[in-house]
Amino acid sequence: MNINKHFTVKSNWQIWRILISESDYLVLESRDKDTKEASFHSYHLETGKPLFENFQPDEKYYVGIETIYKDILYFHKYPKPDLPNHKGIAAFDIVTSEMLWDNEEYSFLFAHNEKLYCFKQGFDERYFYTVDYKTGEMLEDIGSDYRKINALRMEADRQNNFDDYIFPKLDFDESEFKPLILDNLKNPEVHGNIEYATFDNLLMFNYHLKEGGEFYTNYFRIIDLKNHNTLFEEALNKKSGSLFTDSFFIYKNYLILLKEKNGLIIYKLEM
């Protein structure tokens, strides 16, 4: 198995969210940690080429991503800075970098069968609607039938497919790979939990060592399960005052590493 660096991404701000569309477009949400100003970026995983970088909707602060559906990115706003609920839907085409439609009245629920399910908040109950995912045109007024909405949401959840993803496991103490990892590290000063995953004959994990007084370094390592040799190592975060989780995941044959909070390194895992 070859581990080949494919491309890197570096943002001026901290990466908050990482999503991948149905056509393998990587989408990032990054934010200034002080002002909370947001910007958005997209790259084609196959080529590494950017589709857009540092895109900002009209609202730069109180905005976030609801979901990606059929290569359309759906944004929401926050009605007030101190309220967590979402308001409004804006549809942005990832491929053309075009804002398709914007509706301030609806709030997003879920996407299913080429429709968006959304609602308006009444005085004491919600009123549900479907809109066309491409145009935002209202298709159906469902009223306040929450039972129908709950059934449709369950159906949509069942159709969501995460088979292409491998996320690190957290059960290190019970893992069959614990002896191998500890033997490979040969370092008793590991801090925090070790997260791990396997891909073909590769065992991947990240771990923290305290280096330079009170600071931690977050390392990522790959071991060959056949001969137990170390194939790869990368320092993901240096001089950190805290421990990191969710530092890596695999999508199809792409290994995606989060580097220093504001960067990604994408590797291809190839025979």
Side-chain angles (χ1 to χ4, degrees):
M1 180 71 67
N2 296 313
I3 306 165
N4 300 315
K5 183 179 283 189
H6 187 37
F7 68 98
T8 62
V9 174
K10 188 170 184 179
S11 171
N12 293 326
W13 298 338
Q14 183 173 338
I15 294 173
W16 279 44
R17 293 190 69 187
I18 304 170
L19 301 96
I20 301 174
S21 79
E22 296 177 18
S23 299
D24 293 353
Y25 297 120
L26 178 71
V27 174
L28 308 178
E29 175 183 334
S30 62
R31 286 186 183 270
D32 184 300
K33 66 178 182 178
D34 297 318
T35 68
K36 300 300 185 288
E37 184 176 348
S39 65
F40 303 90
H41 325 261
S42 183
Y43 306 85
H44 193 192
L45 268 178
E46 183 178 349
T47 64
K49 294 182 179 179
L51 286 84
F52 55 87
E53 294 180 300
N54 300 309
F55 169 75
Q56 293 183 304
D58 293 337
E59 173 55 63
K60 299 179 182 179
Y61 298 92
Y62 308 117
V63 62
I65 297 174
E66 289 285 7
T67 192
I68 301 174
Y69 182 69
K70 295 186 180 294
D71 297 334
I72 296 177
L73 183 61
Y74 294 96
F75 295 108
H76 67 82
K77 296 179 182 178
Y78 297 98
K80 293 183 180 180
D82 56 344
L83 292 179
N85 53 304
H86 299 174
K87 182 69 182 294
I89 307 171
F92 181 81
D93 190 307
I94 294 172
V95 179
T96 64
S97 299
E98 177 187 4
M99 190 67 77
L100 301 178
W101 55 270
D102 189 351
N103 188 301
E104 298 284 347
E105 296 183 358
Y106 296 137
S107 295
F108 178 88
L109 284 172
F110 58 92
H112 182 50
N113 288 343
E114 300 192 347
K115 302 174 186 177
L116 295 192
Y117 288 80
C118 50
F119 70 93
K120 293 181 183 179
Q121 183 63 54
F123 180 73
D124 57 359
E125 60 183 349
R126 291 179 172 183
Y127 298 94
F128 303 105
Y129 306 86
T130 63
V131 301
D132 185 280
Y133 81 100
K134 285 185 178 179
T135 67
E137 177 187 358
M138 202 268 278
L139 300 175
E140 182 182 4
D141 182 342
I142 302 175
S144 57
D145 189 352
Y146 67 89
R147 291 184 177 86
K148 179 177 180 179
I149 289 294
N150 289 342
L152 287 165
R153 188 198 292 270
M154 291 177 63
E155 182 180 328
D157 288 344
R158 285 194 296 269
Q159 292 183 7
N160 287 335
N161 189 339
F162 294 96
D163 291 346
D164 288 328
Y165 292 84
I166 299 175
F167 296 105
K169 296 181 179 180
L170 306 177
D171 60 343
F172 178 71
D173 285 337
E174 292 77 37
S175 170
E176 63 179 299
F177 301 110
K178 180 178 179 179
L180 173 57
I181 291 175
L182 293 180
D183 181 67
N184 177 269
L185 288 174
K186 295 181 173 60
N187 190 323
E189 299 301 322
V190 173
H191 293 262
N193 192 32
I194 294 176
E195 300 182 357
Y196 69 96
T198 58
F199 179 88
D200 198 77
N201 65 318
L202 304 179
L203 173 61
M204 310 176 183
F205 59 96
N206 74 293
Y207 62 98
H208 294 81
L209 299 181
K210 185 169 281 189
E211 298 176 338
E214 297 301 313
F215 295 106
Y216 299 98
T217 300
N218 178 20
Y219 289 99
F220 174 82
R221 186 176 289 189
I222 300 178
I223 299 173
D224 189 323
L225 283 172
K226 293 180 179 178
N227 56 30
H228 299 178
N229 290 336
T230 298
L231 301 178
F232 176 89
E233 183 168 84
E234 177 89 25
L236 299 181
N237 306 91
K238 297 180 179 180
K239 295 184 178 180
S240 171
S242 58
L243 304 176
F244 286 85
T245 60
D246 302 321
S247 298
F248 72 97
F249 69 95
I250 301 158
Y251 171 75
K252 294 183 177 178
N253 67 319
Y254 298 100
L255 169 63
I256 299 175
L257 303 178
L258 181 60
K259 175 84 170 180
E260 297 293 355
K261 295 185 181 180
N262 66 334
L264 292 182
I265 311 175
I266 293 89
Y267 289 86
K268 271 190 173 182
L269 307 174
E270 300 174 308
M271 297 300 293

